[in-house]
């Protein structure tokens, strides 16, 4: 269900913004052609995807030629901006450009950069996304009082009423749309036995209920032009922004707050497929590591003592992952966690006493943090 929701949100937002561009152009110029709009929809989407793939390919090509972690992180930040600007310059879908470029880059980035760069990039992106999300909703609050003063109480009340009504419409339309499209998709399979997450009515309802609106809706409302080509004020711009804010609040409050209770009430069967995949992946990775160790052990530079030590380490890791769910593993994890905590406290003590520098502390503490993360069940 998460894959369905995340995937459709990317494509839906991009498709909606292409239509939004056409609608705004029609409102500003006063001219609209359905045939031209249809051609522009597919042209903007197709060229936008090509632009994103080109920028993603360039990002990976450059990342393969640098070994500087900061430079690689900056590249991951600059690439979406470059894709957006290039797509906007060509008047095609900038959102689809970023989506396509991001998917391509994520598919190949792990092989192009080192482990430090990957860890650092994830931390930077997590912080950046959280900060931008927070700023958007801060902006919503700051604009609210100004919109009330500018639009007047009567106009504001009317926009709020229509906004709440639109929020209800958004929820109802999705509650109807998802089951209809699911049934149509299943009928197109012509009776083939295909297991689908959306085929279960609980899953179908949950997907239908997740029609929350947020940053993209607010950004598009604020992006409405101030004036038309004639110089006149864009009609109902403030009211549209207020309505959008109401839709966001209604869907976030009603659907967002009710989502967790609904999930608990449905009592879904726990998902175990990804745990099984994780176990298989770990076993195969360790098997390949053992083969690589045996191949390297025949090299003249390989120290037999080091080879034997690594063989023991591999056997220990294989046994640990094989019996991960057993009680002895839980005991081992707690013991290991306590050891790592003691190591960290000793390092802090050495730093505070002046025996080691802060730089040495950061280096060794990073290693301990990575070992600590490996102890978690999801690692």
């Amino acid at each position: 269900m998460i894959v369905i929701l995340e995937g459709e949100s990317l494509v839906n937002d991009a498709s909606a913004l292409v239509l939004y561009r056409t609608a705004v152009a029609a409102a500003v110029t006063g001219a609209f052609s359905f045939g031209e709009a249809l051609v522009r929809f597919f042209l903007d989407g197709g060229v936008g995807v090509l632009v994103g793939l080109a920028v993603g390919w360039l990002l990976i090509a450059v990342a393969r030629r640098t070994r500087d972690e900061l430079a690689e992180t900056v590249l991951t930040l600059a690439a979406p901006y470059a894709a957006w600007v290039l797509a906007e310059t060509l008047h095609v879908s900038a959102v689809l450009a970023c989506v396509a470029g991001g998917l391509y880059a994520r598919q190949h980035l792990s092989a192009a950069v080192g482990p430090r760069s990957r860890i650092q990039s994830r931390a930077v992106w997590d912080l950046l996304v959280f900060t931008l999300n927070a700023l958007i909703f801060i902006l919503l609050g700051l604009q609210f009082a100004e919109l009330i003063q500018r639009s007047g109480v009567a106009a504001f009340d009317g926009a709020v009423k229509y906004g709440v009504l639109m929020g209800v419409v958004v929820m109802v339309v999705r509650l109807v749309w998802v089951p209809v499209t699911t049934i149509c998709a299943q009928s197109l399979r012509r009776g083939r036995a295909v297991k689908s997450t959306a085929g279960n009515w609980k899953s179908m309802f949950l997907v239908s209920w997740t029609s929350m609106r947020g940053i993209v809706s607010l950004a598009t409302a604020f992006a409405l032009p101030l004036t038309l080509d004639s110089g006149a004020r864009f009609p109902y711009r403030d009211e549209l922004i207020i309505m959008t804010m109401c839709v966001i609040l209604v869907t976030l409050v009603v659907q967002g707050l009710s989502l967790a209770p609904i999930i608990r009430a449905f009592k879904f069967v726990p998902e175990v497929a990804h745990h099984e995949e994780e176990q298989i992946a770990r076993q195969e990775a360790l098997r390949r590591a053992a083969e690589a160790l045996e191949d390297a052990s025949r090299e003249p530079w390989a120290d037999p003592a080091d080879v034997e030590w690594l063989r023991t380490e591999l056997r220990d890791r294989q046994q640990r992952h094989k019996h991960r769910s057993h009680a002895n593993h839980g005991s081992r994890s707690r013991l290991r966690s306590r050891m790592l905590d003691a190591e960290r406290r000793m390092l802090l003590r050495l730093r505070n006493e002046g025996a080691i520098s802060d730089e040495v502390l950061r280096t060794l503490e990073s290693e301990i943090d990575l070992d600590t993360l490996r102890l978690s069940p999801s690692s």
Side-chain angles (χ1 to χ4, degrees):
M1 283 187 289
I2 291 174
V3 171
I4 291 173
L5 293 172
E6 290 181 346
E8 70 157 353
S9 68
L10 292 174
V11 179
N12 286 354
D13 289 346
S15 303
L17 289 174
V18 172
L19 297 174
Y20 166 85
R21 183 199 298 270
T22 302
V24 170
V28 171
T29 62
F32 175 74
S33 169
F34 179 79
E36 181 181 351
L38 188 63
V39 172
R40 287 299 308 177
F41 177 82
F42 290 103
L43 184 63
D44 289 356
V47 177
V49 168
L50 292 177
V51 169
L53 292 176
V55 173
W57 177 86
L58 185 61
L59 164 66
I60 298 301
V62 175
R64 292 184 189 276
R65 288 167 173 76
T66 179
R67 289 295 177 267
D68 185 275
E69 292 87 2
L70 287 176
E72 290 166 350
T73 302
V74 170
L75 283 173
T76 64
L77 295 172
Y81 180 76
W84 185 281
V85 171
L86 182 57
E88 283 290 331
T89 303
L90 298 175
H91 302 292
V92 296
S93 175
V95 177
L96 276 177
C98 289
V99 170
L103 291 173
Y104 181 90
R106 184 63 192 91
Q107 189 73 16
H108 299 87
L109 190 65
S110 294
V113 300
R116 287 185 180 275
S117 179
R118 290 193 294 271
I119 294 173
Q120 182 172 276
S121 295
R122 290 192 200 105
V124 170
W125 271 101
D126 287 344
L127 177 62
L128 179 65
V129 170
F130 177 82
T131 302
L132 290 177
N133 274 305
L135 287 175
I136 287 292
F137 286 101
I138 290 173
L139 177 63
L140 186 152
L142 293 175
Q143 292 289 324
F144 209 69
E146 183 181 346
L147 286 171
I148 296 176
Q149 295 176 354
R150 197 164 57 214
S151 61
V153 176
F156 177 80
D157 290 344
V160 168
K161 292 177 183 177
Y162 281 113
V164 172
L165 178 61
M166 186 59 66
V168 174
V169 170
V170 164
M171 291 188 286
V172 171
V173 166
R174 184 172 175 86
L175 285 170
V176 175
W177 174 256
V178 171
V180 169
T181 54
T182 302
I183 293 171
C184 291
Q186 289 177 342
S187 64
L188 290 175
R189 296 190 184 108
R190 297 179 180 178
R192 287 182 297 171
V194 179
K195 289 185 67 177
S196 173
T197 302
N200 181 281
W201 73 267
K202 293 180 180 180
S203 303
M204 190 188 303
F205 177 82
L206 197 62
V207 172
S208 304
W209 191 243
T210 52
S211 58
M212 286 82 78
R213 294 297 184 267
I215 289 175
V216 175
S217 300
L218 184 63
T220 51
F222 280 124
L224 289 171
L226 298 175
T227 60
L228 305 176
D229 278 355
S230 61
R233 185 170 174 269
F234 193 94
Y236 303 108
R237 184 179 185 275
D238 291 343
E239 289 80 357
L240 288 170
I241 295 175
I242 295 171
M243 289 172 61
T244 305
M245 290 180 174
C246 292
V247 171
I248 293 171
L249 291 175
V250 167
T251 56
L252 285 180
V253 171
V254 176
Q255 295 180 302
L257 294 181
S258 63
L259 196 59
I262 290 173
I263 293 173
R264 287 194 293 267
F266 281 172
K267 297 179 180 179
F268 286 100
V269 177
E271 172 64 48
V272 295
H274 68 285
H275 293 300
E276 295 172 355
E277 292 173 2
E278 179 184 337
Q279 287 295 95
I280 294 173
R282 288 184 185 278
Q283 292 170 6
E284 289 300 306
L286 290 173
R287 182 185 62 79
R288 185 65 190 94
E291 292 174 354
L293 177 62
E294 293 304 318
D295 292 341
S297 65
R298 302 185 185 94
E299 300 291 339
W301 47 264
D303 189 331
D306 290 337
V307 171
E308 188 57 35
W309 188 88
L310 289 171
R311 283 176 181 155
T312 303
E313 183 190 23
L314 273 175
R315 284 195 296 269
D316 181 67
R317 288 175 62 188
Q318 288 171 337
Q319 289 298 318
R320 182 168 70 249
H321 296 316
K322 183 178 180 181
H323 304 288
R324 172 176 283 273
S325 60
H326 291 179
N328 64 338
H329 174 70
S331 171
R332 186 181 302 176
S333 296
R334 292 181 64 181
L335 292 171
R336 179 65 172 158
S337 178
R338 186 164 296 186
M339 290 168 56
L340 292 172
D341 189 54
E343 288 184 47
R344 185 182 293 104
R345 289 200 303 270
M346 177 53 71
L347 291 175
L348 289 172
R349 177 181 172 182
L350 292 173
R351 191 277 309 274
N352 295 337
E353 293 175 352
I356 61 174
S357 66
D358 201 61
E359 182 177 355
V360 171
L361 170 66
R362 286 198 301 271
T363 300
L364 298 180
E365 192 175 40
S366 296
E367 296 176 3
I368 293 175
D369 289 340
L370 290 174
D371 285 338
T372 303
L373 289 175
R374 294 191 190 100
L375 296 177
S376 63
S378 61
S379 64

